[in-house]
Amino acid sequence: MGRKVTLATCSLNQWAMDFEGNSKRILESIEIAKKKNAAYRLGSELEICGYGCYDHFYEGDTLLHSFEVLAMLLQSPVTQDIICDVGMPIMHKNVLYNCRVIFLNKKILLIRPKMQLCNDGNYREERWFTRWMKPKQVEEYFLPRMISSITGQKTVPFGDAVLSTRDTCIGSETCEELWAPSSSHIAQSLDGVEIFTNASGSHFSLRKAYVRVDLVKSATAKCGGIYLFANQMGCDGDRVYYDGCSMIAINGSFVVQGSQFSLDEVEVLTATLDLEDVRSYRGNFASRARAAAQLEPYPRVMADFSLSKDDDIFLPSYEPVEWRYHSPEEEISYGPACWLWDYLRRSGQGGFFLPLSGGIDSSSTACIVASMCHLVCQAVDNGNPQVLTDVRRIVGDPDFIPQNPKELAGRIFVTCYMASENSSEVTRNRAQQLAEQIGSCHQSIQIDTAVSAVIGIFTAVTAVVPRFKVHGGSPRENLALQNVQARLRMVLAYLFAQLTLWAQGRPGGLLVLGSSNVDESLRGYMTKYDCSSADINPIGGISKTDLRAFIRFCVDKFGFTALKEIYDAPPTAELEPLAEGQIAQTDEEDMGMSYEELSIYGRLRKMMKCGPYSMFCKLIHTWKNTCSPAQVAVKVKHFFRSYSINRHKMTTLTPSFHAENYSPDDNRFDLRQFLYNVAWTWQFRAIDKQVTPAHISHRLRYFKFIYFHLGFILQ
């Protein structure tokens, strides 16, 4: 009797609404799985249409084309003699569900709708889908004629059921169901399910990988069993990057770890596992046996098929592997780089244009492009034909083969130092040196003529001449003179991006890259429609603290020694006149807070859900050794005033790579109003009550905060 099963899980670089490309990648993954002798193939969530279709899910066309792809898969010889598990949207009784379709040899075995939808952070699944609210119940789903004519079936089971083969039992979860407190795998395991599958559309965030790993490890350690996790990878058309990281685990141990960052469009992981290991593992838990004996069973869909072979005694089984995590610096190097590559090759443009100032932020963006060039060259060296085809199309040379990352950067990356009279030679030289080490096509231009022309137009109309603060001007004049420089840099960036390749006799244009970090976006420390207003921004979701660590990493990783001076220099926008040739303006002084403080404010505001009063109550303890309660109050009030005054800038924020969970991105992740009462009168008064009366002890304030959050009233 066979007991060893070979299973496959896949990471595919799917693209929302790209039914042609998506179907080809699905077929390729099934073909690879069969070549590796897999009997079951699992794909990622909504892989047929792509996860990020958003309001396209409302369109009947999306459902139609998904069924057309399913029909093609059912008929393909590639899908025969292997159980295929694919994801697509399906409407049942006029209700739209996010579904798994499990089929074998031109027969649909089960349509399993998602039972827990994700509706936080970047996710809005409840906008389009309804969760299946009938646990352990199935209904008959009437197949469209295009499917019925292939399968010969009029109806198929639709609902919360498990699949029984001749040798084992398989249960499905979809993405959020692994994260939910009432995960399906718990009840499924008690009902004898030995193989769990999870099709996921889980996006990348810094330091997130361990969460998925811990959840899968915990599920199999507690319940016993085999767990297949399949996650999408790549940029499927939006701000988020799906980082793959598919995996296979058994009884609390991992046997296969997939790539977290890869330029491959198809990755198939397989493992041969012994079902007897699951059975013996579970046999040791008496408490599990008692719970299983009284569990209401799942409906079972029978499949006359075996995952195992009779003669498998000499088939080698798994060996546990130690999970390897990437450091945050590696995640910054690889994640945005892979996202940029997908965006570039799918946008049809000829490369990137970056205003390179010689500071931490624009230098970090440049290093991410350099990292992308390294990944591309590595993929070409490894024989990836799709990457080479994309490279040749982008550079417009059918015979081009990049010999090294520096050569590739010279063909697809243009940097430009945009100097004004307020710029220093120090930053000009730093930008030049970094560009040379990366290999970008670098330019240095002077924008003073354009600045003078714009101010001249204003003076001609109003008959007044605005002056900088150091020359006796008011704060409004000073800010306006800074903003005109920043906004003209944006105009010039787009001019050069559109015409640089034309000037070289090459077709296409360049994508303008932004370089505003997540902390500056949170604080609003940027000029609206300045050079942070770009086509895409790879560092828009990354904190200044992490970017500084990333700069140090790049010195060792890529040998960019120019970064040492950039790391040591104080951050500055260089928009005010120099003092005897030296920088007189620094970002942290202008902001009235440090970047480290900004990261703390950001996490408390978004991740800990703190308003002004709650933030104050937490920070009087966090900063008790450095700040008095009154000083904390001043800091918190200043942050919230600055945040609310500048919130309107988030409505125009450049689409940014999502990396940090306190991102203020207004598009989907952080939905708040952009017009505030910036005085925060009621909230700030609550803070003032805690710091004004000198006789109120620190301990009393602490307990009042605790009682408030427990729902009690302190008399």
Side-chain angles (χ1 to χ4, degrees), residues 520-525 590-593 598 601 605 610-613 615 630-649 673-688 691:
E520 290 173 351
S521 298
L522 175 66
R523 164 63 171 77
Y525 185 67
D590 275 2
M591 291 191 298
M593 60 190 75
L598 261 175
Y601 297 143
R605 181 197 69 95
C610 286
Y613 182 72
M615 187 180 292
Q631 290 171 321
V632 173
V634 171
K635 286 176 176 286
V636 170
K637 290 179 183 179
H638 178 54
F639 164 71
F640 273 97
R641 285 195 193 99
S642 302
Y643 159 78
S644 54
I645 287 170
N646 293 295
R647 176 65 187 169
H648 64 96
K649 296 179 182 178
Q673 71 271 34
F674 60 86
L675 181 61
Y676 278 89
N677 178 352
V678 300
W680 296 85
T681 49
W682 191 281
Q683 296 91 331
F684 287 0
R685 191 183 305 123
I687 295 174
D688 291 339
V691 298

Side-chain angles (χ1 to χ4, degrees), residues 216-366:
V216 171
K217 183 175 183 178
S218 173
T220 58
K222 179 170 60 177
C223 298
I226 299 167
Y227 206 105
L228 276 69
F229 180 86
N231 191 31
Q232 183 167 311
M233 65 181 175
C235 167
D236 78 340
D238 203 63
R239 291 157 170 78
V240 297
Y241 174 76
Y242 301 97
D243 56 334
C245 219
S246 295
M247 63 190 85
I248 301 176
I250 180 171
N251 299 341
S253 297
F254 291 97
V255 295
V256 181
Q257 174 183 353
S259 302
Q260 188 173 6
F261 308 106
S262 173
L263 299 189
D264 294 337
E265 292 202 323
V266 176
E267 182 180 64
V268 179
L269 309 177
T270 60
T272 300
L273 303 163
D274 195 333
L275 293 172
E276 284 300 313
D277 289 341
V278 175
R279 293 158 188 166
S280 60
Y281 184 89
R282 288 177 173 177
N284 292 325
F285 290 103
S287 59
R288 179 198 172 277
R290 286 192 294 272
Q294 55 187 328
L295 183 81
E296 179 185 350
Y298 276 84
R300 271 173 158 71
V301 175
M302 306 303 295
D304 188 15
F305 185 76
S306 294
L307 300 186
S308 59
K309 309 295 182 185
D310 289 337
D311 55 346
D312 63 1
I313 188 169
F314 294 108
L315 193 64
S317 190
Y318 72 94
E319 292 293 337
V321 298
E322 192 70 28
W323 194 273
R324 186 206 179 269
Y325 293 97
H326 289 287
S327 68
E329 293 79 15
E330 289 176 320
E331 290 184 324
I332 295 171
S333 180
Y334 302 140
C338 292
W339 183 75
L340 281 181
W341 174 246
D342 277 348
Y343 201 103
L344 175 60
R345 69 193 183 95
R346 289 173 170 170
S347 68
Q349 298 302 303
F352 299 113
F353 181 92
L354 173 67
L356 184 61
S357 69
I360 288 280
D361 294 332
S362 62
S363 297
S364 296
T365 300

